[in-house]
Amino acid sequence: KYLTFENDSPDKAPVLTYLKLNSVCWLDVRLSKIVLPTGTYNVFWKMNMKSRYQNIRNEYQVSMVNSNGITDIGYMDTEHLKNLKEEWEWVPVFASKNFKELLKISFNSGKGEDLTAKLFNENGSWTHNLGFHMIQFVMV
């Protein structure tokens, strides 16, 4: 299996279940039907690395697509991902590949919108042991 659901907690609490990338060379993770209060948000993914062997390469692109087809594209800092450890941490999504400004997305709940979050990476070699726990939207 390339992706598995894992739970390292002693009591196996469902809220602590996460998606573990065991080994892939091409990654496309999608979270659908996200509904938020109207506002503007920064995006963060809660991630960890279970092993020092990870082979992180190329950009990790995050696309936020609303139900009207409008897409905001951001990027995760590859150097940040290379330095992840076993402890969970929030990885920010930036507006461009210079990794200076955070991606800002706008959402209008009054229009009946929903979002799909897509995380994509194409790597010529295999990436291993990344953990994805959740996505967080912080109102700005």
Side-chain angles (χ1 to χ4, degrees):
K1 292 183 175 183
Y2 300 114
L3 294 166
T4 56
F5 284 101
E6 303 283 329
N7 189 323
D8 299 333
S9 66
D11 61 354
K12 302 294 183 205
V15 73
L16 298 177
T17 299
Y18 63 94
L19 183 64
K20 179 182 174 193
L21 175 114
N22 292 313
S23 186
V24 298
C25 65
W26 187 81
L27 174 67
D28 189 348
V29 175
R30 295 168 191 239
L31 306 171
S32 299
K33 303 291 183 193
I34 300 167
V35 177
L36 302 167
T38 297
T40 301
Y41 296 85
N42 293 132
V43 182
F44 298 83
W45 287 75
K46 190 174 183 182
M47 299 173 69
N48 75 353
M49 180 71 67
K50 289 293 188 179
S51 160
R52 287 305 349 134
Y53 178 72
Q54 28 56 8
N55 201 25
I56 303 287
R57 295 187 188 169
N58 303 330
E59 290 90 19
Y60 279 69
Q61 179 179 304
V62 177
S63 301
M64 302 302 304
V65 183
N66 74 19
S67 50
N68 296 319
I70 298 170
T71 303
D72 293 299
I73 297 176
Y75 302 89
M76 291 182 181
D77 184 346
T78 305
E79 291 305 311
H80 187 162
L81 296 177
K82 287 179 182 178
N83 292 307
L84 288 172
K85 299 187 175 30
E86 283 198 41
E87 297 79 30
W88 293 101
E89 69 178 88
W90 293 104
V91 177
V93 177
F94 292 93
S96 69
K97 295 177 188 178
N98 68 12
F99 308 113
K100 292 184 180 174
E101 292 185 37
L102 294 176
L103 178 68
K104 290 182 182 169
I105 62 163
S106 295
F107 187 81
N108 187 341
S109 59
K111 292 185 177 178
E113 290 183 350
D114 63 51
L115 288 171
T116 297
K118 297 192 265 186
L119 174 62
F120 176 78
N121 174 264
E122 187 172 2
N123 186 346
S125 300
W126 291 79
T127 302
H128 306 273
N129 297 311
L130 276 175
F132 303 92
H133 187 263
M134 66 177 67
I135 189 170
Q136 176 82 24
F137 299 90
V138 178
M139 192 176 278
V140 294

